[in-house]
Amino acid sequence: MLNLAQHILPLKKLDSLYQYFEDIRVRDAESAFDVAVTAWENSLIMDHDWHQAKSLINLARAHYELDRKDSAIFLLKRAQSINPKDEHLQGLSYRYLGMVYMDLLDFKRASDFLQKALDLIDADDIAMRTNIIRNQGVIHAKQNDYLTALTFFTKAYEEKLANGLEEKLAPDLNNIGLVYRRLGEFDKALEFADKTLALDMKYGDVRNVSRVLINKAVVFDEMGNADSSLYYYHKGISVAEENQHFRNMALGYGNLADFHHSRGQFQKALDAYEKSYKIALSIEERSQLLTVIRGLSLTYEDMGRMDSALHFARESFAMAIKAGIKLRVQQQADMLSGLFEKKEVLDSALFYSRISQAYADSLYEENAQRRFANLRIRIETLEQEQEIDRLESQHRIDNLKIYWGSSIGIALIGIMGLIFYSYRARQLQKQTKMALDHERLTKEVDMQKHELSHHTLSMLNKNQILQDIEDEAKCGLANEERSNLSLSRIIKVIARSKSSDKDWDNFNHFFSQVHHDFFQSLSDQFPQLSTNEKRLSALLKLNLSNIEVSSILGIESNSVKMAKYRLKKKIGLAEEEKLEVFLQTLS
């Protein structure tokens, strides 16, 4: 602890206290807290709104560094109410609220607060703005969206580098290294870890040193270098303990436990998990708690202690539900299903299996929405332009009839007047009816395209999920796992379930509503085509890729290429002609 009387009391101005707070915040959180309290007391004496809000924000940051999150939230909101007109101070408070809620795994609220902060922070405060950008990257990384996270981290790094903020680069370098590790590029990960350590040592960021050492240990572990991994784990944890950095201590012990668990050293793993659990619980580090509890459950399961495994699996499942992390919910539901199956509590096993499948479907659907956006657009717009052109052509013909009718009416003035006006009235009625029919037809076409799109995607999604399950079952069979289950029978059932006849009947129905005469034209011109070749033709008519076609048909991608080659030969297309182009023009 620093001697506050010696270092703080001579500082007369609040600005000096703020600067001193920044200087010692990282290396001495307790002393920084005392400095923040002193600044707050001085701001009350001055009775100045701006300084009171500023000192409250710093006091909240001090609470945050000491892992007192509820106090930090309370003080930040109070700071906002004291001086609501200063946009920069409001931006600062939103930034730190975003960080707190990020640690609490409330990612939606954290992201919203960070965006508000970016909208309010001064444009010339590059350091703060890039830190906010880095925080946004962390949110994506915590949700396993590493490529998006890397985009944010790189942007923050480049902006700081361009503005000469070398002393601020270490956190960004560290995060970039973490993403490379997640992506399996270990050499890059170690390169960025060493760059980060060099900057941390240069500028005295001891807290980050322990985190980077732990990160290096994880990289070496994933590379299979156990000795180097164990060395850096103990070194990182030692640095964290010397400087009372509880968050890094929890992280270090948790990762060390994973190290021992993966090597079958279960008692050592349990000891390390317990240490990480107690520290994370004391500082309310929910993300770490979630990871550690899952690790405890897996370890107890491997030790055959099923009741303990179930206890922690249920706790982890409840936490994942509360945090709203779909991937973790799916993983924990799958784990609970397996645990109950081993205990032969089959109704509970089935219950959690259904939850796991539901969340897996949801996760896959989110990815499918991005992957098949172009497919959906193509299907929804197929032939709509042709239908509109047809209606417009008919409309022009009707207008021409009106024109000639009008000319005849003028020539037969008086004699044909009554007929003319009667004709005009009928034409106006006809045009009104056409407009209504056009609107109705457009809506029907849109509905048909939507139904076809939905059914095609449903077949694609279902077959992809079944393929994943089949692959996993085959792997389990190869490794002789779960010998009490008939995996061969499961594989056969799954294979039969892919794109059943009922699925194809529904697909043919929706497809024919959109492409009315396609199958008839195909049969008339090429009666020798088989049912599977007609199905392939329909999918190619929708302009699907080989991968998408293979998933729907339940065959390998190479088999799709061969099937397309045979279909082209049967149809009689020349070498230079493209099968897809021909089918697009067939109606």
Side-chain angles (χ1 to χ4, degrees):
M1 185 73 68
L2 298 176
N3 189 328
L4 295 178
Q6 178 183 353
H7 293 282
I8 295 178
L9 294 179
L11 302 176
K12 302 292 185 181
K13 298 180 180 179
L14 280 171
D15 287 342
S16 299
L17 285 171
Y18 300 149
Q19 185 58 53
Y20 190 56
F21 172 80
E22 295 294 342
D23 291 342
I24 67 172
R25 177 179 59 85
V26 172
R27 67 175 184 270
D28 194 339
E30 291 287 350
S31 293
F33 176 79
D34 291 340
V35 173
V37 171
T38 302
W40 164 244
E41 292 171 346
N42 278 271
S43 71
L44 291 176
I45 295 172
M46 292 179 61
D47 194 23
H48 192 289
D49 286 350
W50 189 92
H51 282 291
Q52 287 183 25
K54 173 69 174 177
S55 59
L56 272 179
I57 290 173
N58 282 347
L59 188 57
R61 293 170 65 194
H63 278 287
Y64 172 76
E65 294 293 343
L66 295 169
D67 297 296
R68 303 164 187 164
K69 297 179 178 65
D70 290 338
S71 297
I73 293 172
F74 172 79
L75 292 172
L76 288 168
K77 291 182 176 179
R78 185 175 177 186
Q80 289 180 334
S81 66
I82 290 176
N83 194 333
K85 294 182 180 180
D86 190 294
E87 290 189 350
H88 190 71
L89 285 180
Q90 290 289 310
L92 289 178
S93 61
Y94 279 126
R95 188 263 172 133
Y96 295 116
L97 278 170
M99 292 178 64
V100 174
Y101 281 107
M102 179 172 62
D103 281 358
L104 295 174
L105 304 184
D106 191 341
F107 299 129
K108 175 64 169 63
R109 191 177 297 184
S111 181
D112 290 343
F113 281 136
L114 290 175
Q115 186 56 53
K116 287 181 180 179
L118 270 182
D119 294 339
L120 294 171
I121 292 292
D122 296 339
D124 58 352
D125 192 345
I126 303 299
M128 181 56 65
R129 294 182 67 83
T130 51
N131 283 338
I132 294 171
I133 292 171
R134 185 183 75 239
N135 294 146
Q136 289 175 318
V138 172
I139 289 177
H140 286 281
K142 284 180 177 287
Q143 298 176 88
N144 303 319
D145 185 2
Y146 297 113
L147 292 178
T148 304
L150 184 60
T151 301
F152 280 108
F153 295 150
T154 304
K155 182 179 179 182
Y157 171 76
E158 289 175 346
E159 288 192 19
K160 286 179 181 177
L161 196 63
N163 288 274
L165 299 176
E166 184 190 60
E167 72 279 8
K168 305 288 186 180
L169 290 176
D172 305 295
L173 289 171
N174 184 49
N175 286 330
I176 292 173
L178 287 173
V179 171
Y180 277 123
R181 176 177 69 81
R182 291 290 189 180
L183 296 176
E185 298 189 29
F186 300 128
D187 291 338
K188 276 281 191 181
L190 290 175
E191 175 188 338
F192 277 93
D194 289 335
K195 289 180 179 179
T196 305
L197 277 175
L199 282 175
D200 288 334
M201 299 302 292
K202 181 177 180 179
Y203 294 104
D205 189 347
V206 181
R207 177 186 58 178
N208 207 50
V209 167
S210 60
R211 180 176 287 269
V212 178
L213 291 171
I214 293 167
N215 290 339
K216 286 193 69 172
V218 176
V219 176
F220 280 116
D221 187 9
E222 294 181 356
M223 292 175 68
N225 190 335
D227 291 339
S228 295
S229 177
L230 202 57
Y231 167 79
Y232 280 106
Y233 273 134
H234 288 303
K235 188 174 181 180
I237 292 171
S238 176
V239 172
E241 288 178 336
E242 288 173 8
N243 295 275
Q244 293 293 288
H245 295 144
F246 297 106
R247 193 175 305 169
N248 291 354
M249 289 164 59
L251 176 68
Y253 279 119
N255 288 344
L256 179 60
D258 292 340
F259 173 91
H260 289 305
H261 179 202
S262 66
R263 288 159 177 79
Q265 300 166 347
F266 297 135
Q267 191 55 53
K268 288 184 177 180
L270 287 178
D271 293 342
Y273 277 134
E274 289 290 346
K275 290 179 181 178
S276 180
Y277 180 83
K278 290 178 181 178
I279 297 170
L281 188 63
S282 68
I283 61 177
E284 298 182 32
E285 185 65 22
R286 297 183 188 180
S287 179
Q288 184 63 26
L289 272 174
L290 195 57
T291 301
V292 170
I293 292 171
R294 175 175 171 79
L296 282 166
S297 180
L298 288 168
T299 304
Y300 279 120
E301 180 184 8
D302 288 343
M303 296 174 70
R305 297 169 59 178
M306 304 306 294
D307 290 337
S308 296
L310 272 173
H311 168 76
F312 285 106
R314 281 171 165 161
E315 187 175 348
S316 183
F317 178 76
M319 287 187 66
I321 287 284
K322 185 175 181 180
I325 306 176
K326 289 185 177 181
L327 179 61
R328 290 294 182 90
V329 174
Q330 188 270 325
Q331 291 173 340
Q332 290 309 117
D334 185 62
M335 177 185 289
L336 281 165
S337 177
L339 289 171
F340 277 115
E341 185 178 334
K342 287 183 177 180
K343 288 178 68 68
E344 297 187 355
V345 186
L346 299 183
D347 54 345
S348 296
L350 180 60
F351 171 75
Y352 283 106
S353 177
R354 287 173 175 169
I355 293 177
S356 175
Q357 186 61 56
Y359 273 89
D361 290 347
S362 175
L363 288 165
Y364 185 85
E365 178 63 21
E366 289 177 2
N367 292 331
Q369 293 300 323
R370 292 189 293 269
R371 288 176 54 207
F372 306 127
N374 292 332
L375 168 65
R376 185 176 292 109
I377 292 171
R378 291 199 299 271
I379 294 176
E380 289 177 351
T381 57
L382 282 175
E383 294 186 350
Q384 191 167 354
E385 293 83 358
Q386 296 178 11
E387 187 61 36
I388 292 173
D389 288 343
R390 186 186 68 78
L391 291 170
E392 288 179 348
S393 176
Q394 183 63 44
H395 186 62
R396 285 195 295 271
I397 293 171
D398 291 334
N399 283 340
L400 189 60
K401 290 179 180 178
I402 295 171
Y403 170 77
W404 285 109
S406 300
S407 300
I408 294 171
I410 294 172
L412 301 175
I413 294 174
I415 299 174
M416 301 296 294
L418 182 61
I419 298 175
F420 170 74
Y421 285 114
S422 175
Y423 179 79
R424 286 283 293 170
R426 288 197 304 272
Q427 289 303 113
L428 181 61
Q429 183 180 12
K430 184 178 181 181
Q431 288 179 347
T432 303
K433 183 176 182 299
M434 282 185 62
L436 293 174
D437 288 344
H438 185 188
E439 181 179 358
R440 177 183 57 78
L441 182 59
T442 300
K443 289 182 179 179
E444 288 178 357
V445 170
D446 287 344
M447 179 59 71
Q448 291 166 359
K449 304 295 175 47
H450 175 75
E451 289 173 344
L452 175 59
S453 171
H454 175 76
H455 188 73
T456 306
L457 288 175
S458 295
M459 291 175 67
L460 191 55
N461 290 352
K462 188 201 75 171
N463 283 353
Q464 184 59 55
I465 292 168
L466 287 172
Q467 185 63 53
D468 292 343
I469 298 173
E470 184 180 355
D471 291 343
E472 184 176 347
K474 288 178 179 178
C475 180
L477 187 61
N479 295 326
E480 298 183 354
E481 295 175 354
R482 299 187 180 183
S483 57
N484 59 322
L485 295 176
S486 178
L487 292 179
S488 297
R489 182 171 55 85
I490 294 173
I491 293 170
K492 291 178 181 178
V493 171
I494 291 171
R496 288 197 301 269
S497 299
K498 292 182 180 177
S499 297
S500 65
D501 289 340
K502 183 179 180 181
D503 285 332
W504 281 110
D505 289 342
N506 291 332
F507 174 83
N508 291 342
H509 171 72
F510 293 127
F511 184 90
S512 296
Q513 285 185 329
V514 176
H515 306 285
H516 307 287
D517 301 321
F518 180 80
F519 283 124
Q520 188 61 48
S521 297
L522 200 63
S523 297
D524 291 344
Q525 296 183 49
F526 312 105
Q528 74 277 20
L529 296 184
S530 67
T531 300
N532 286 336
E533 286 168 337
K534 291 177 182 178
R535 290 174 178 175
L536 174 61
S537 300
L539 297 177
L540 296 178
K541 174 76 171 176
L542 297 180
N543 203 23
L544 300 185
S545 70
N546 287 352
I547 294 176
E548 292 162 344
V549 171
S550 70
S551 180
I552 291 176
L553 295 179
I555 60 178
E556 297 294 333
S557 182
N558 288 336
S559 299
V560 174
K561 296 177 182 178
M562 181 59 66
K564 287 168 65 176
Y565 175 78
R566 291 171 179 166
L567 177 60
K568 184 175 179 180
K569 289 292 185 184
K570 275 194 176 184
I571 291 176
L573 296 180
E575 185 73 24
E576 65 276 7
E577 292 182 278
K578 289 187 176 297
L579 176 62
E580 290 84 351
V581 174
F582 172 78
L583 292 172
Q584 290 296 324
T585 58
L586 186 65
S587 61

